[in-house]
Amino acid sequence: MEYQLDLDWDDFLKNYWQKRPVLLKKAFKNFIDPISPDELAGLAMESEIDSRLVSQSQGRWDVSHGPFESYDHLGENDWSILVQAVNHWHEPSSALMTPFRPLPDWRLDDLMISFSVPGGGVGPHFDQYDVFIIQGTGRRRWRVGEKTVLKQHCPHPDLLQVEPFDAIIDEETESGDILYIPPGFPHEGYALENALNYSVGFRAPNGRELINGFADFALAKELGSFRYSDPQLVRREYPADIQESELDALRKMMIGLIEQPEDFKTWFGEFITQSRHELDLAPPEPPYQAGEIYESLHQGETLRRLGGLRVLRVGDTCYINGESLVTEHSAAANALAQHHILTADLFGDALEDPSFLAQLCELINSGYWYFID
Ligand code: SIN
Ligand code: CO
């Protein structure tokens, strides 16, 4: 299934992206849900998959976490099941993310899917991330408020909400509508009838995560072994004081580490291709021989990238799930990064090179790519 998104991207990026929330009516024409409520409920029964059930009764909120064993206790109103990273587990659902590729892959996070019965929702809150909430089957009433300082509270230890807010958007969403919400804008959505919603999330790292990630890299690669030194030291009157010039020198040492362009690129490629959610890895058994892969591709078979696997390029180097792919076949590496579905022609000559073929074989034997039957 290929989803066609009817959106003027230039206008959207100029006027809304990271700036204003907007309801894009009928952005998907004749929208067809890639998953059924039953299938979603089934995923929430799996232990590897992150899921929540949020319910409300007379203003009292309750949250429980999957895996769930049964849904028999649930009534007909006021609850919602939310399943994280469905693109990792349910291939047809991942097709919903492709139309958002005018945005950079490295900013993309995951696809969260919720199923709500009438009255169901997670209550008023805001998120740290940009999100496109696609309305699937059913209808929901969405309210979005202005980005202001709002008090947060926890009506349940696992649920962060905000105080009531005035709406700048207050609309009913129908199948195919998309509500885009930038970080920090409060919102709430209540189902009017049984409803599926698909949240395509875009994530941006904060400084703390970057420093932390770079520190791990520096430790692993033993960067920054040089020590602070002060051969020009003069006798000092206040030995307990740390001087501005000393702080400057220390800060320069730290910045100097980050300013090594090659290290920085390698680090970021490795860092940003690590998935925050578990991958549904199923390495083939028995493993492939390189020759079999060559044959299959030349016979017209097609490779598909595992859902949620992050493949990105920095310069000419391709990074796959936290590791670089060292190869001189940059066109083939580029194909791995740009395409989710691969055929022999996209690899060009690289398939004739035993060392590239061996690398591709290893990627397939790791479960990162698989042949579609
Ligand atoms: C949803 O309930 O489907 C989306 C929750 C949210 O607002 O983030
Ligand atoms: Co939200």
Side-chain angles (χ1 to χ4, degrees), residues 193-207:
E193 49 195 50
N194 286 1
L196 280 168
N197 284 84
Y198 306 84
S199 296
V200 180
F202 284 80
R203 196 169 187 278
N206 66 22

Side-chain angles (χ1 to χ4, degrees), residues 173-355:
T173 49
E174 302 165 308
S175 182
D177 293 350
I178 301 179
L179 180 61
Y180 164 72
I181 308 173
F185 285 81
H187 54 279
E188 60 180 336
Y190 294 101
L192 300 167
E193 49 195 50
N194 286 1
L196 280 168
N197 284 84
Y198 306 84
S199 296
V200 180
F202 284 80
R203 196 169 187 278
N206 66 22
R208 187 160 62 235
E209 290 165 336
L210 295 177
I211 292 274
N212 189 44
F214 191 81
D216 287 343
F217 178 81
L219 285 173
K221 297 273 158 54
E222 298 190 4
L223 303 181
S225 300
F226 54 88
R227 262 171 218 286
Y228 175 80
S229 70
D230 46 6
Q232 316 297 345
L233 199 65
V234 292
R235 193 159 51 86
R236 91 174 41 178
E237 193 175 353
Y238 300 104
D241 288 1
I242 303 165
Q243 291 177 352
E244 248 345 286
S245 60
E246 293 171 322
L247 290 173
D248 277 349
L250 290 161
R251 190 181 309 117
K252 282 207 182 89
M253 266 176 81
M254 295 179 73
I255 293 171
L257 266 178
I258 296 170
E259 269 182 348
Q260 301 298 318
E262 286 313 311
D263 286 340
F264 190 80
K265 279 190 212 168
T266 307
W267 162 65
F268 194 68
E270 292 182 9
F271 172 80
I272 204 67
T273 53
Q274 289 164 32
S275 178
R276 297 194 319 115
H277 306 276
E278 203 174 318
L279 292 168
D280 185 17
L281 283 170
E285 210 34 77
Y288 284 93
Q289 304 287 318
E292 297 174 278
I293 288 168
Y294 183 92
E295 286 300 317
S296 300
L297 283 170
H298 280 292
Q299 280 162 12
E301 285 192 39
T302 303
L303 281 172
R304 190 197 295 275
R305 184 192 300 177
L306 179 67
L309 183 80
R310 294 173 73 81
V311 185
L312 296 161
R313 283 203 314 157
V314 183
D316 257 350
T317 311
C318 177
Y319 293 86
I320 302 167
N321 199 29
E323 283 179 59
S324 60
L325 178 76
V326 181
T327 173
E328 26 187 272
H329 296 285
S330 56
N334 184 33
L336 286 173
Q338 309 304 333
H339 300 277
H340 288 238
I341 303 238
L342 291 154
T343 43
D345 54 314
L346 290 170
F347 291 109
D349 295 349
L351 292 180
E352 306 303 324
D353 176 353
S355 75

Side-chain angles (χ1 to χ4, degrees), residues 112 122-123 125-127 129 131 133 142 181 185 187-188 199:
M112 193 273 285
V122 299
H125 69 282
F126 58 80
D127 301 301
Y129 311 126
V131 64
I133 303 176
W142 282 99
I181 308 173
F185 285 81
H187 54 279
E188 60 180 336
S199 296

